[in-house]
Amino acid sequence: MSTGPQTEAGKKRSRGNAVRHGLTAETVIVGFEDAEDYKAFELPVTSDFDAQTAVERELVLRLASLLWRLRRAAAIETGLLQIQSEILRETRRAKGIQPLHHNRVLEAIRFAGGVRDGKWSGQGDVDHTQESPQTINAEVGRCFLRLANLDNGAFERLSRYETALWRQVGQVLITLDMLRRTR
């Protein structure tokens, strides 16, 4: 007879069991995301709606999942720009060109990417005196252009992903509104 997980790692994995994943998922929680963070995100979204029926509850859960995935898309964009910034910095260093203050550029990229929950830690203290906002914006622009010019089309795919998610959010909200009007 099993007594459940014994190790901390096993207990952490077990906590994620309540969040479904796979083809029938409400949302997918990937390895570096925390199921508890998702549940904490989902709670205020579901609390905003007074779901009266099982269909309404499912739609509200779907809405929370879509909004979570939109946050992830913003994090993906931020990550792409951050990676490109690091590559550009290393290229400049290899060529003997003084790179921009790395922490300041990363701060601008995080701001531009919409990551506001403080999850991007470990970058050190930001020195706001190193570069002007125009210089930082130009650097973020260079990173974007370099990524946009790659043949892999990462931004185009990310844009299509976000567009599809926003379209689904709209459909869920319209459907919820219609259901409430017919009560």
Side-chain angles (χ1 to χ4, degrees):
M1 173 178 226
S2 174
T3 59
Q6 303 298 313
T7 66
E8 278 306 309
K11 290 176 184 177
K12 185 174 181 180
R13 269 193 318 276
S14 176
R15 282 193 291 269
N17 287 344
V19 179
R20 291 180 288 169
H21 55 84
L23 294 174
T24 60
E26 280 299 323
T27 196
V28 175
I29 305 297
V30 293
F32 52 84
E33 294 177 319
D34 187 344
E36 294 301 318
D37 285 347
Y38 176 75
K39 286 299 185 186
F41 174 82
E42 181 183 67
L43 183 62
V45 174
T46 57
S47 297
D48 284 348
F49 293 87
D50 183 27
Q52 300 292 311
T53 67
V55 171
E56 286 180 359
R57 280 189 294 279
E58 286 299 317
L59 287 169
V60 170
L61 290 173
R62 176 73 176 156
L63 179 62
S65 172
L66 290 165
L67 294 173
W68 176 266
R69 292 163 58 200
L70 280 165
R71 286 178 69 187
R72 185 186 297 147
I76 290 167
E77 180 179 358
T78 300
L80 288 170
L81 289 168
Q82 183 176 0
I83 290 166
Q84 186 58 44
S85 172
E86 291 166 359
I87 291 169
L88 195 54
R89 181 174 180 232
E90 291 304 315
T91 301
R92 284 184 172 162
R93 183 177 293 150
K95 291 180 178 180
I97 301 170
Q98 179 66 34
L100 293 179
H101 192 268
H102 189 58
N103 289 336
R104 184 81 165 104
V105 174
L106 291 178
E107 176 190 67
I109 289 170
R110 286 192 296 272
F111 178 77
V115 177
R116 296 175 297 273
D117 61 359
K119 294 293 182 182
W120 299 97
S121 60
Q123 299 301 329
D125 294 328
V126 175
D127 180 355
H128 295 277
T129 64
Q130 294 294 319
E131 289 88 22
S132 70
Q134 293 83 6
T135 303
I136 299 302
N137 289 342
E139 189 71 5
V140 173
R142 278 187 206 89
C143 290
F144 177 83
L145 285 174
R146 287 178 59 114
L147 283 167
N149 287 329
L150 293 176
D151 289 336
N152 65 14
F155 274 112
E156 290 82 8
R157 284 193 302 277
L158 183 59
S159 177
R160 285 193 305 269
Y161 177 65
E162 280 186 288
T163 299
L165 290 173
W166 277 115
R167 188 175 298 123
Q168 291 175 55
V169 165
Q171 290 169 342
V172 167
L173 290 173
I174 289 169
T175 304
L176 277 168
D177 186 55
M178 284 181 9
L179 287 172
R180 290 179 177 209
R181 289 175 192 255
T182 60
R183 279 196 216 156

